[in-house]
Amino acid sequence: MKDILRRHHVLKEEIVELINKQIKMEAHSSSAYLAMAAWCDVRGYDNSAEFFFKQSDEERVHQLKFFHYLTDMECDAVSPGTDMPQHEFPTLRSVFEKALEMEIAVTDSIHNMVKVCREHGDIATEEFLRWFVQEQIEEEFVARRTLELFDVLGEDKIGLGLLEQQVLSVQYDGGNA
Amino acid sequence: MITATSTEHLVYKTRNASLSQSDSTNSYILRFFNDELEFRACEFISFKRKIQQLDLPQLLSTEAPDVEVLYLPHCDRLMVLSIHEILELREVLAGAFTMLELNSVIHREIVRKV
Protein backbone atom coordinates (compact mmCIF):
# COMPACT_ATOMS: atom_id res chain seq x y z
CA MET A 1 0.00 0.00 0.00
CA LYS A 2 1.40 3.35 -1.08
CA ASP A 3 2.16 6.05 1.50
CA ILE A 4 -0.10 8.65 -0.13
CA LEU A 5 -0.55 10.59 3.10
CA ARG A 6 3.19 11.32 3.33
CA ARG A 7 3.43 12.19 -0.36
CA HIS A 8 0.74 14.84 -0.22
CA HIS A 9 0.68 15.98 3.36
CA VAL A 10 4.14 16.71 4.57
CA LEU A 11 3.39 18.42 7.89
CA LYS A 12 1.56 17.13 10.91
CA GLU A 13 -1.88 18.56 11.55
CA GLU A 14 -0.83 20.19 14.82
CA ILE A 15 1.95 22.04 13.00
CA VAL A 16 -0.39 23.14 10.19
CA GLU A 17 -2.85 24.45 12.77
CA LEU A 18 -0.12 26.37 14.59
CA ILE A 19 1.16 27.94 11.37
CA ASN A 20 -2.36 28.95 10.38
CA LYS A 21 -2.77 30.61 13.79
CA GLN A 22 0.52 32.42 13.21
CA ILE A 23 -0.69 33.57 9.78
CA LYS A 24 -3.70 35.10 11.51
CA MET A 25 -1.51 36.71 14.16
CA GLU A 26 0.78 38.27 11.53
CA ALA A 27 -2.26 39.51 9.61
CA HIS A 28 -3.62 41.09 12.77
CA SER A 29 -0.23 42.70 13.50
CA SER A 30 -0.11 44.13 9.99
CA SER A 31 -3.59 45.52 10.44
CA ALA A 32 -2.80 46.90 13.91
CA TYR A 33 0.35 48.66 12.65
CA LEU A 34 -1.71 50.23 9.89
CA ALA A 35 -4.10 51.62 12.50
CA MET A 36 -1.11 52.99 14.47
CA ALA A 37 0.27 54.57 11.30
CA ALA A 38 -3.07 56.27 10.70
CA TRP A 39 -3.18 57.59 14.27
CA CYS A 40 0.33 59.05 13.93
CA ASP A 41 -0.23 60.42 10.43
CA VAL A 42 -3.30 62.52 11.23
CA ARG A 43 -1.56 64.01 14.28
CA GLY A 44 1.46 65.16 12.32
CA TYR A 45 3.90 62.48 13.48
CA ASP A 46 4.96 61.78 9.91
CA ASN A 47 8.08 59.75 10.65
CA SER A 48 6.34 57.64 13.28
CA ALA A 49 3.60 57.02 10.73
CA GLU A 50 6.20 55.94 8.21
CA PHE A 51 7.76 53.68 10.84
CA PHE A 52 4.41 51.93 11.38
CA PHE A 53 3.56 51.75 7.67
CA LYS A 54 6.88 49.97 7.20
CA GLN A 55 6.15 47.66 10.13
CA SER A 56 2.75 46.86 8.65
CA ASP A 57 4.38 45.88 5.35
CA GLU A 58 6.90 43.68 7.18
CA GLU A 59 4.17 41.82 9.06
CA ARG A 60 2.41 41.20 5.75
CA VAL A 61 5.67 39.76 4.38
CA HIS A 62 5.90 37.48 7.43
CA GLN A 63 2.31 36.37 6.92
CA LEU A 64 3.03 35.48 3.29
CA LYS A 65 6.20 33.58 4.21
CA PHE A 66 4.15 31.32 6.48
CA PHE A 67 1.37 31.10 3.90
CA HIS A 68 3.71 30.03 1.10
CA TYR A 69 5.41 27.52 3.37
CA LEU A 70 2.08 25.76 3.96
CA THR A 71 1.12 25.75 0.29
CA ASP A 72 4.61 24.54 -0.68
CA MET A 73 4.11 21.66 1.75
CA GLU A 74 0.70 20.92 0.15
CA CYS A 75 -1.09 21.81 3.37
CA ASP A 76 -4.21 23.93 3.79
CA ALA A 77 -3.24 27.57 4.24
CA VAL A 78 -6.13 29.59 5.62
CA SER A 79 -6.48 33.20 4.53
CA PRO A 80 -7.51 34.83 7.81
CA GLY A 81 -10.19 37.31 8.66
CA THR A 82 -8.88 39.68 11.29
CA ASP A 83 -10.45 41.39 14.27
CA MET A 84 -10.72 45.18 14.30
CA PRO A 85 -7.41 46.53 15.66
CA GLN A 86 -7.11 49.28 18.26
CA HIS A 87 -7.51 52.66 16.54
CA GLU A 88 -7.53 55.04 19.50
CA PHE A 89 -4.51 55.81 21.65
CA PRO A 90 -4.07 58.36 24.41
CA THR A 91 -0.46 59.31 23.56
CA LEU A 92 2.30 58.62 21.05
CA ARG A 93 4.13 56.72 23.77
CA SER A 94 1.16 54.39 24.24
CA VAL A 95 1.27 53.59 20.52
CA PHE A 96 4.87 52.44 20.81
CA GLU A 97 4.10 50.56 24.03
CA LYS A 98 1.39 48.66 22.19
CA ALA A 99 3.84 47.95 19.35
CA LEU A 100 6.35 46.42 21.78
CA GLU A 101 3.63 44.31 23.41
CA MET A 102 2.63 42.95 20.01
CA GLU A 103 6.21 42.08 19.12
CA ILE A 104 6.69 40.26 22.43
CA ALA A 105 3.50 38.27 21.79
CA VAL A 106 4.77 37.31 18.32
CA THR A 107 8.14 36.27 19.76
CA ASP A 108 6.43 34.07 22.37
CA SER A 109 4.31 32.50 19.67
CA ILE A 110 7.30 31.76 17.40
CA HIS A 111 9.25 30.25 20.31
CA ASN A 112 6.26 28.07 21.16
CA MET A 113 6.16 26.87 17.55
CA VAL A 114 9.82 25.90 17.72
CA LYS A 115 9.12 23.90 20.91
CA VAL A 116 6.20 22.08 19.28
CA CYS A 117 8.32 21.32 16.20
CA ARG A 118 10.93 19.76 18.47
CA GLU A 119 8.27 17.66 20.20
CA HIS A 120 7.11 16.36 16.81
CA GLY A 121 10.59 15.96 15.35
CA ASP A 122 9.68 18.36 12.54
CA ILE A 123 13.19 19.41 11.59
CA ALA A 124 12.18 21.16 8.34
CA THR A 125 9.72 23.52 10.01
CA GLU A 126 12.10 24.19 12.89
CA GLU A 127 14.73 25.18 10.33
CA PHE A 128 12.17 27.34 8.51
CA LEU A 129 11.38 29.09 11.79
CA ARG A 130 15.02 29.95 12.42
CA TRP A 131 14.68 33.09 10.24
CA PHE A 132 11.67 34.22 12.30
CA VAL A 133 13.50 33.72 15.60
CA GLN A 134 16.27 36.03 14.35
CA GLU A 135 13.76 38.46 12.90
CA GLN A 136 11.99 38.75 16.24
CA ILE A 137 15.24 39.61 18.02
CA GLU A 138 15.50 42.56 15.62
CA GLU A 139 11.81 43.51 15.82
CA GLU A 140 11.80 43.52 19.62
CA PHE A 141 15.08 45.45 19.77
CA VAL A 142 13.77 48.21 17.49
CA ALA A 143 10.44 48.43 19.35
CA ARG A 144 12.18 48.54 22.74
CA ARG A 145 14.83 51.09 21.70
CA THR A 146 12.20 53.34 20.15
CA LEU A 147 10.16 53.23 23.33
CA GLU A 148 13.29 54.09 25.33
CA LEU A 149 13.63 57.26 23.28
CA PHE A 150 10.65 58.64 25.19
CA ASP A 151 12.62 58.30 28.44
CA VAL A 152 15.78 59.71 26.92
CA LEU A 153 14.24 62.65 25.07
CA GLY A 154 11.20 63.39 27.22
CA GLU A 155 7.61 63.78 26.12
CA ASP A 156 7.26 67.55 25.75
CA LYS A 157 7.00 69.05 22.26
CA ILE A 158 10.77 69.31 21.85
CA GLY A 159 11.26 65.72 23.01
CA LEU A 160 8.61 64.41 20.64
CA GLY A 161 10.12 66.47 17.83
CA LEU A 162 13.53 64.91 18.45
CA LEU A 163 11.94 61.48 18.64
CA GLU A 164 10.36 62.12 15.24
CA GLN A 165 13.82 62.86 13.89
CA GLN A 166 15.31 59.68 15.27
CA VAL A 167 12.55 57.10 14.99
CA LEU A 168 13.44 55.99 11.46
CA SER A 169 17.11 55.54 12.25
CA VAL A 170 16.71 52.98 15.05
CA GLN A 171 18.27 49.78 13.73
CA TYR A 172 19.50 46.48 15.08
CA ASP A 173 23.15 45.89 14.29
CA GLY A 174 22.93 42.13 14.70
CA GLY A 175 24.75 42.10 18.04
CA ASN A 176 27.94 43.50 16.47
CA ALA A 177 28.13 46.65 18.57
CA MET B 1 -19.49 3.93 -8.71
CA ILE B 2 -15.97 3.14 -7.61
CA THR B 3 -15.33 -0.59 -7.76
CA ALA B 4 -12.91 -2.36 -5.45
CA THR B 5 -9.76 -3.48 -7.22
CA SER B 6 -6.46 -5.04 -6.21
CA THR B 7 -5.03 -1.56 -5.88
CA GLU B 8 -7.68 -0.57 -3.35
CA HIS B 9 -6.82 -1.19 0.29
CA LEU B 10 -9.26 -1.15 3.17
CA VAL B 11 -7.79 1.16 5.79
CA TYR B 12 -10.41 1.16 8.54
CA LYS B 13 -13.99 0.03 8.97
CA THR B 14 -16.80 0.69 11.41
CA ARG B 15 -20.36 -0.59 11.44
CA ASN B 16 -21.68 1.71 8.71
CA ALA B 17 -18.55 3.30 7.34
CA SER B 18 -15.30 2.31 5.73
CA LEU B 19 -12.28 4.12 4.39
CA SER B 20 -10.17 2.69 1.58
CA GLN B 21 -7.11 3.91 -0.24
CA SER B 22 -6.80 3.51 -4.00
CA ASP B 23 -3.18 3.14 -5.08
CA SER B 24 -4.16 3.46 -8.75
CA THR B 25 -5.90 6.82 -8.42
CA ASN B 26 -3.95 8.03 -5.34
CA SER B 27 -7.20 8.81 -3.60
CA TYR B 28 -9.27 7.84 -0.58
CA ILE B 29 -12.73 6.35 -0.80
CA LEU B 30 -15.21 6.82 2.01
CA ARG B 31 -18.20 4.49 2.04
CA PHE B 32 -20.82 5.70 4.45
CA PHE B 33 -24.17 3.89 4.64
CA ASN B 34 -25.13 3.76 0.94
CA ASP B 35 -23.02 6.69 -0.07
CA GLU B 36 -19.59 6.70 -1.64
CA LEU B 37 -17.24 9.67 -1.76
CA GLU B 38 -13.78 9.95 -3.29
CA PHE B 39 -11.19 12.39 -1.97
CA ARG B 40 -7.70 13.46 -2.98
CA ALA B 41 -5.32 13.64 -0.02
CA CYS B 42 -5.66 17.39 0.61
CA GLU B 43 -9.47 17.19 0.29
CA PHE B 44 -9.56 14.26 2.66
CA ILE B 45 -7.58 16.14 5.33
CA SER B 46 -9.82 19.15 4.88
CA PHE B 47 -12.90 16.93 5.24
CA LYS B 48 -11.54 15.43 8.46
CA ARG B 49 -10.96 18.91 9.85
CA LYS B 50 -14.52 19.94 9.01
CA ILE B 51 -15.93 16.90 10.78
CA GLN B 52 -13.75 17.56 13.83
CA GLN B 53 -14.87 21.18 13.98
CA LEU B 54 -18.59 20.40 14.10
CA ASP B 55 -19.99 21.65 17.37
CA LEU B 56 -21.78 18.67 18.95
CA PRO B 57 -22.85 20.39 22.21
CA GLN B 58 -24.50 23.05 20.06
CA LEU B 59 -26.36 20.33 18.12
CA LEU B 60 -27.52 18.79 21.39
CA SER B 61 -29.10 22.00 22.60
CA THR B 62 -32.86 21.96 22.20
CA GLU B 63 -33.09 25.15 20.20
CA ALA B 64 -30.73 24.02 17.44
CA PRO B 65 -31.65 21.65 14.58
CA ASP B 66 -30.35 18.14 15.31
CA VAL B 67 -28.65 17.75 11.95
CA GLU B 68 -25.62 19.41 10.43
CA VAL B 69 -25.37 20.24 6.74
CA LEU B 70 -21.88 19.95 5.35
CA TYR B 71 -20.86 21.17 1.89
CA LEU B 72 -18.19 19.23 0.02
CA PRO B 73 -16.87 21.59 -2.64
CA HIS B 74 -14.60 19.03 -4.31
CA CYS B 75 -17.61 17.01 -5.49
CA ASP B 76 -20.25 19.73 -5.15
CA ARG B 77 -22.36 17.73 -2.74
CA LEU B 78 -24.12 18.30 0.54
CA MET B 79 -24.06 15.87 3.45
CA VAL B 80 -26.83 16.03 6.01
CA LEU B 81 -25.51 14.42 9.18
CA SER B 82 -27.23 13.44 12.40
CA ILE B 83 -25.31 13.37 15.68
CA HIS B 84 -24.90 9.58 15.44
CA GLU B 85 -23.60 9.88 11.91
CA ILE B 86 -21.11 12.58 12.93
CA LEU B 87 -19.85 10.37 15.75
CA GLU B 88 -19.45 7.42 13.41
CA LEU B 89 -17.64 9.57 10.83
CA ARG B 90 -15.30 10.81 13.55
CA GLU B 91 -14.63 7.23 14.59
CA VAL B 92 -13.85 5.98 11.09
CA LEU B 93 -11.68 9.02 10.31
CA ALA B 94 -9.74 8.77 13.58
CA GLY B 95 -9.14 5.05 13.02
CA ALA B 96 -8.22 5.59 9.37
CA PHE B 97 -5.74 8.36 10.13
CA THR B 98 -4.10 6.25 12.81
CA MET B 99 -3.69 3.43 10.29
CA LEU B 100 -2.44 5.80 7.59
CA GLU B 101 0.12 7.26 9.98
CA LEU B 102 1.16 3.72 10.93
CA ASN B 103 1.59 3.02 7.21
CA SER B 104 3.80 6.12 6.98
CA VAL B 105 5.91 4.83 9.89
CA ILE B 106 6.28 1.44 8.17
CA HIS B 107 7.37 3.14 4.95
CA ARG B 108 9.83 5.37 6.80
CA GLU B 109 11.34 2.68 8.99
CA ILE B 110 11.24 -0.33 6.65
CA VAL B 111 10.31 0.30 3.02
CA ARG B 112 12.45 3.36 2.31
CA LYS B 113 15.40 2.01 4.28
CA VAL B 114 15.79 -1.08 2.06
Coordinates of all heavy atoms in Angstrom, one line a residue, chain A residues 1-9 12-13 16 20 74 76 78, chain B residues 9 21-23 26 28 41 45-46 48-49 100 103-104 107 112:
Chain A
M1 N 0.8 -1.2 0.0 CA 0.0 0.0 0.0 C 0.9 1.3 0.0 O 1.8 1.4 0.8 CB -0.9 0.0 1.3 CG -1.8 1.1 1.4 SD -3.0 0.8 2.8 CE -3.0 2.4 3.6
K2 N 0.6 2.1 -1.0 CA 1.4 3.4 -1.1 C 1.2 4.2 0.2 O 0.2 4.2 0.8 CB 0.9 4.2 -2.3 CG 1.3 3.6 -3.6 CD 0.8 4.7 -4.7 CE 0.9 4.2 -6.1 NZ 0.3 5.1 -7.0
D3 N 2.2 5.1 0.4 CA 2.2 6.0 1.5 C 1.7 7.4 0.9 O 2.4 8.4 0.9 CB 3.5 6.2 2.2 CG 3.5 7.0 3.4 OD1 2.4 7.4 3.8 OD2 4.6 7.3 4.0
I4 N 0.4 7.4 0.5 CA -0.1 8.6 -0.1 C -0.1 9.8 0.8 O 0.1 11.0 0.5 CB -1.5 8.4 -0.7 CG1 -1.5 7.3 -1.7 CG2 -2.2 9.6 -1.2 CD1 -2.9 6.8 -2.2
L5 N -0.4 9.5 2.1 CA -0.6 10.6 3.1 C 0.8 11.4 3.2 O 0.8 12.6 3.2 CB -0.9 10.0 4.5 CG -1.3 11.0 5.5 CD1 -2.7 11.6 5.2 CD2 -1.4 10.3 6.9
R6 N 1.9 10.7 3.2 CA 3.2 11.3 3.3 C 3.5 12.1 2.1 O 4.2 13.1 2.1 CB 4.3 10.3 3.7 CG 5.7 10.8 3.7 CD 5.9 11.8 4.8 NE 7.2 12.3 4.7 CZ 7.7 13.3 4.0 NH1 6.8 13.9 3.1 NH2 8.9 13.7 4.0
R7 N 3.1 11.5 0.9 CA 3.4 12.2 -0.4 C 2.8 13.5 -0.5 O 3.3 14.5 -1.1 CB 3.0 11.3 -1.5 CG 3.8 10.1 -1.8 CD 3.3 9.4 -3.0 NE 3.9 8.1 -3.2 CZ 3.6 7.3 -4.2 NH1 2.8 7.7 -5.2 NH2 4.2 6.2 -4.3
H8 N 1.5 13.6 0.0 CA 0.7 14.8 -0.2 C 0.5 15.7 1.0 O -0.1 16.7 0.9 CB -0.6 14.5 -0.8 CG -0.4 13.8 -2.2 ND1 -0.3 14.6 -3.3 CD2 -0.4 12.6 -2.6 CE1 -0.1 13.8 -4.4 NE2 -0.2 12.6 -4.0
H9 N 0.9 15.2 2.1 CA 0.7 16.0 3.4 C 1.9 15.9 4.2 O 2.0 15.0 5.0 CB -0.6 15.4 4.1 CG -1.1 16.3 5.2 ND1 -1.6 17.5 4.9 CD2 -1.1 16.1 6.5 CE1 -1.9 18.1 6.1 NE2 -1.7 17.2 7.0
K12 N 2.6 17.7 10.0 CA 1.6 17.1 10.9 C 0.5 18.2 11.1 O 0.7 19.4 11.0 CB 2.2 16.8 12.2 CG 3.1 15.6 12.2 CD 3.4 15.0 13.5 CE 4.4 13.9 13.5 NZ 4.2 12.8 12.6
E13 N -0.7 17.7 11.4 CA -1.9 18.6 11.5 C -1.7 19.6 12.6 O -2.1 20.8 12.5 CB -3.1 17.8 11.9 CG -3.8 17.2 10.6 CD -5.1 16.5 11.0 OE1 -6.0 17.2 11.2 OE2 -5.1 15.3 11.1
V16 N 0.4 22.3 11.2 CA -0.4 23.1 10.2 C -1.3 24.1 10.9 O -1.4 25.3 10.6 CB -1.2 22.2 9.3 CG1 -2.1 23.0 8.4 CG2 -0.3 21.3 8.4
N20 N -1.2 28.2 10.8 CA -2.4 29.0 10.4 C -2.7 30.0 11.4 O -3.1 31.1 11.1 CB -3.5 28.0 10.1 CG -3.6 27.6 8.6 OD1 -3.3 28.4 7.7 ND2 -3.9 26.3 8.4
E74 N 2.0 21.5 0.5 CA 0.7 20.9 0.2 C -0.3 20.8 1.3 O -1.0 19.8 1.5 CB 0.9 19.5 -0.5 CG 1.5 19.7 -1.9 CD 1.2 18.5 -2.8 OE1 0.1 17.8 -2.6 OE2 1.9 18.3 -3.7
D76 N -3.2 22.9 3.9 CA -4.2 23.9 3.8 C -3.7 25.2 4.5 O -3.6 25.2 5.7 CB -5.5 23.5 4.5 CG -6.3 22.6 3.6 OD1 -6.1 22.6 2.3 OD2 -7.3 21.9 4.0
V78 N -4.9 28.9 5.5 CA -6.1 29.6 5.6 C -5.9 31.1 5.6 O -5.1 31.6 6.4 CB -6.8 29.2 7.0 CG1 -8.1 29.9 7.1 CG2 -7.0 27.7 7.0
Chain B
H9 N -7.1 -0.6 -1.0 CA -6.8 -1.2 0.3 C -7.8 -0.7 1.3 O -7.9 0.6 1.5 CB -5.4 -0.9 0.7 CG -4.4 -1.3 -0.3 ND1 -3.9 -2.6 -0.4 CD2 -3.8 -0.6 -1.3 CE1 -3.0 -2.6 -1.4 NE2 -2.9 -1.4 -2.0
Q21 N -8.1 3.1 0.5 CA -7.1 3.9 -0.2 C -6.9 3.3 -1.6 O -6.7 2.0 -1.7 CB -5.8 4.0 0.5 CG -4.7 4.6 -0.3 CD -3.3 4.7 0.4 OE1 -3.3 5.2 1.5 NE2 -2.3 4.1 -0.2
S22 N -7.0 4.0 -2.7 CA -6.8 3.5 -4.0 C -5.4 3.9 -4.4 O -5.1 5.1 -4.6 CB -7.8 4.1 -5.0 OG -7.4 3.8 -6.3
D23 N -4.5 2.9 -4.6 CA -3.2 3.1 -5.1 C -3.1 3.5 -6.6 O -2.2 4.1 -7.0 CB -2.3 1.9 -4.8 CG -1.9 1.8 -3.4 OD1 -2.3 2.7 -2.6 OD2 -1.2 0.9 -3.0
N26 N -4.5 7.2 -6.4 CA -4.0 8.0 -5.3 C -5.0 8.8 -4.6 O -4.9 10.0 -4.4 CB -2.9 9.0 -5.9 CG -1.7 8.3 -6.3 OD1 -1.3 7.2 -5.8 ND2 -1.0 8.8 -7.3
Y28 N -8.6 8.6 -1.7 CA -9.3 7.8 -0.6 C -10.8 7.7 -0.9 O -11.4 8.6 -1.5 CB -9.1 8.6 0.7 CG -7.6 8.7 1.1 CD1 -6.9 9.9 1.0 CD2 -7.0 7.6 1.7 CE1 -5.6 10.0 1.3 CE2 -5.6 7.7 2.0 CZ -5.0 8.9 1.8 OH -3.6 9.0 2.2
A41 N -5.9 13.6 -1.4 CA -5.3 13.6 0.0 C -5.7 15.0 0.7 O -6.1 15.0 1.8 CB -3.8 13.4 0.0
I45 N -8.0 15.5 4.1 CA -7.6 16.1 5.3 C -8.5 17.3 5.7 O -8.9 17.5 6.8 CB -6.1 16.6 5.2 CG1 -5.2 15.4 5.2 CG2 -5.7 17.5 6.3 CD1 -3.9 15.5 4.5
S46 N -8.9 18.0 4.7 CA -9.8 19.2 4.9 C -11.2 18.6 5.4 O -11.8 19.2 6.3 CB -10.0 19.9 3.5 OG -11.0 20.9 3.6
K48 N -11.7 15.9 7.1 CA -11.5 15.4 8.5 C -11.6 16.6 9.4 O -12.3 16.6 10.5 CB -10.2 14.7 8.6 CG -10.0 14.2 10.0 CD -8.6 13.8 10.3 CE -8.4 13.4 11.7 NZ -7.1 13.8 12.2
R49 N -11.0 17.7 9.0 CA -11.0 18.9 9.8 C -12.4 19.5 10.0 O -12.8 19.8 11.1 CB -10.0 20.0 9.2 CG -9.7 21.1 10.2 CD -8.7 22.1 9.6 NE -7.5 21.4 9.3 CZ -6.9 21.5 8.1 NH1 -7.4 22.2 7.2 NH2 -5.8 20.9 7.9
L100 N -3.2 5.2 8.6 CA -2.4 5.8 7.6 C -1.1 6.3 8.1 O -0.1 6.2 7.5 CB -3.2 7.0 7.0 CG -4.4 6.5 6.1 CD1 -5.3 7.7 5.7 CD2 -4.0 5.7 4.9
N103 N 1.1 3.4 8.5 CA 1.6 3.0 7.2 C 2.8 3.9 6.9 O 3.8 3.4 6.3 CB 0.5 3.2 6.2 CG 0.9 2.7 4.8 OD1 1.5 1.6 4.7 ND2 0.7 3.5 3.8
S104 N 2.7 5.2 7.2 CA 3.8 6.1 7.0 C 5.0 5.7 7.8 O 6.2 5.7 7.3 CB 3.4 7.6 7.4 OG 2.5 8.1 6.5
H107 N 6.6 2.7 6.1 CA 7.4 3.1 4.9 C 8.7 3.8 5.3 O 9.7 3.5 4.7 CB 6.5 4.1 4.1 CG 5.6 3.4 3.1 ND1 6.0 3.2 1.8 CD2 4.5 2.8 3.3 CE1 5.0 2.6 1.2 NE2 4.1 2.3 2.1
R112 N 11.5 2.4 2.9 CA 12.4 3.4 2.3 C 13.9 3.1 2.7 O 14.8 3.6 2.1 CB 12.1 4.8 2.7 CG 10.8 5.3 2.1 CD 10.6 6.8 2.2 NE 9.2 7.2 2.0 CZ 8.3 7.5 2.9 NH1 8.7 7.5 4.2 NH2 7.1 7.8 2.6

